[in-house]
Amino acid sequence: MAEWDVVVVGAGLAGSTAALFSARHGRSTLVVDAGLVPGGQMFNITRIEDFPGFPQGVAGYDLCPMLQEQAAAAGAEFRAGTVEALTATETGWSVTGLDEPVEARAAIVATGSTPRRLGIPGEERLLGHGISHCASCDGPIYRGRAVAVIGGGDSALLETLELVDHVASITVFVRDRALRGQHTYASRVEAAEKVTLAFDTVVEEILGEDAVTGVRTRSVATGETADVEAAAVFPYIGSEPQTALLAPHVALDPDGHVPTDVWMRTEVPGLLVAGEVRAGSAAQAVTVSGDGATAAIAADRYLATSAWAPVETSVAG
Ligand code: NDP
């Protein structure tokens, strides 16, 4: 069985940047990702506007492959496969679930997050039948129709702006009194003629038998309920870190994230995390990339010295 210096799990921006830096430090580096098209959540974003160095923005489907090409050119190997378990060995970490087991002296887990579920009636039944978490993929299907977005953070705002190009109208249901995403997106959403902002409004049910036909809402202020027509619902209410591989090894914080020090080191020697799985992540494209670079440099130092400081800076999420 080949032993790698570093195995990186996840080939989103965090994992791919970790691979780039690890390979550039001369470490044999394997990246494993379940997706056929590695790139993580950013892959589907049509225009990432706030990644430094791209004044016109950059598409996720351009940036992610370019980054992987850069990491591969530096010597990292990318392999498709779902990692089922990460097991501590005498010399490091063993990864199972691939065609053959993989061993590495250090592991960087950059598995990101998955969209949080609403947990309301209709959601389970209609997921994939009008409920979508990808406006750029599914927006064109609803050309000329009315759709709903749920949430008031950056994802909801960015995806609303994506939908504006395709659909007839968008109602954004926000359970608070204000949007909480960045000002640039918020002001554009507020100015968009096709968009209606429904503040103080909770979506209680997604309506439709075989396909979404609308949502049932409740006003937080008055308790009044209403049925609103919509051909599709795009919920963006935050995300859950994917920490199944890590939970057997490290204690998670109350939100399910992994505490690290500023070098992305967990409490366990040789195990590092990067991106949205870690506690205190700012969850921006540039910051998760930075996490990946930091983790790779920390792994390189660990492999050189075997020194591992205890986690000192556990930042609340
Ligand atoms: P956020 O947690 O930032 O926002 C979630 C939104 O959903 C909030 O408005 C929240 O309301 C609302 N919400 C939560 N639960 C429910 C519920 N059950 N019903 C209705 N509404 C609910 O998540 P995002 O996915 O928007 O962003 C995650 C991270 O990714 C952030 O750090 C963000 O900055 C980043 N990001 C950055 C982008 C960029 O272009 N820079 C693009 C996309 C994401 P409440 O406030 O009441 O909790």
Side-chain angles (χ1 to χ4, degrees):
M1 184 188 326
E3 189 182 78
W4 299 78
D5 289 332
V6 177
V7 63
V8 179
V9 186
L13 289 185
S16 296
T17 308
L20 171 66
F21 275 75
S22 181
R24 288 181 62 87
H25 279 75
R27 298 296 177 186
S28 62
T29 305
L30 176 70
V31 190
V32 186
D33 189 280
L36 286 175
V37 187
Q41 293 183 46
M42 303 307 292
F43 187 86
N44 290 319
I45 298 189
T46 311
R47 195 152 64 106
I48 303 167
E49 294 181 15
D50 50 13
F51 201 82
F54 294 93
Q56 306 306 321
V58 58
Y61 45 79
D62 288 332
L63 181 66
C64 300
M66 282 196 294
L67 174 54
Q68 282 145 29
E69 190 184 327
Q70 192 179 7
E77 184 174 323
F78 285 76
R79 206 174 281 179
T82 301
V83 175
E84 281 165 8
L86 197 59
T87 313
T89 66
E90 270 181 21
T91 53
W93 297 91
S94 167
V95 168
T96 49
L98 310 176
D99 290 344
E100 55 176 34
V102 161
E103 296 218 338
R105 291 162 65 205
I108 300 174
V109 178
T111 38
S113 61
T114 50
R116 184 175 293 145
R117 295 288 178 90
L118 289 153
I120 58 175
E123 184 181 38
E124 198 75 28
R125 183 177 72 250
L126 294 166
L127 196 63
H129 301 280
I131 300 178
S132 166
H133 296 102
C134 183
S136 61
C137 324
D138 295 332
I141 300 170
Y142 301 100
R143 186 165 295 282
R145 318 272 306 272
V147 304
V149 168
I150 306 173
D154 280 333
S155 297
L157 300 180
L158 184 63
E159 302 288 347
T160 297
L161 293 168
E162 183 77 48
L163 288 167
V164 162
D165 292 337
H166 304 293
V167 304
S169 65
I170 307 152
T171 307
V172 182
F173 295 100
V174 186
R175 67 179 178 182
D176 312 306
R177 285 179 179 204
L179 299 174
R180 73 135 103 138
Q182 63 171 264
H183 171 75
T184 305
Y185 295 140
S187 52
R188 242 185 277 161
V189 165
E190 282 160 358
E193 276 179 21
K194 286 184 183 177
V195 177
T196 303
L197 292 167
F199 290 111
D200 273 338
T201 307
V202 175
V203 173
E204 289 194 322
E205 183 174 349
I206 301 185
L207 306 172
E209 277 310 312
D210 304 325
V212 169
T213 56
V215 292
R216 180 157 299 150
T217 65
R218 181 176 50 80
S219 158
V220 175
T222 65
E224 227 169 274
T225 59
D227 289 356
V228 181
E229 234 176 80
V233 177
F234 294 86
Y236 294 106
I237 62 160
S239 52
E240 306 285 350
Q242 301 207 83
T243 51
L245 296 175
L246 294 154
H249 306 292
V250 296
L252 304 177
D253 77 3
D255 293 330
H257 295 92
V258 180
T260 66
D261 68 1
V262 294
W263 283 100
M264 308 299 139
R265 296 179 293 199
T266 70
E267 63 192 90
V268 183
L271 181 60
L272 304 99
V273 298
E276 289 195 49
V277 285
R278 81 166 175 93
S281 168
Q284 308 297 311
V286 64
T287 67
V288 303
S289 280
D291 284 359
T294 303
I297 294 166
D300 175 58
R301 290 184 185 173
Y302 168 65
L303 296 182
T305 63
S306 295
W308 195 264
V311 172
E312 289 159 5
T313 317
S314 167
V315 187

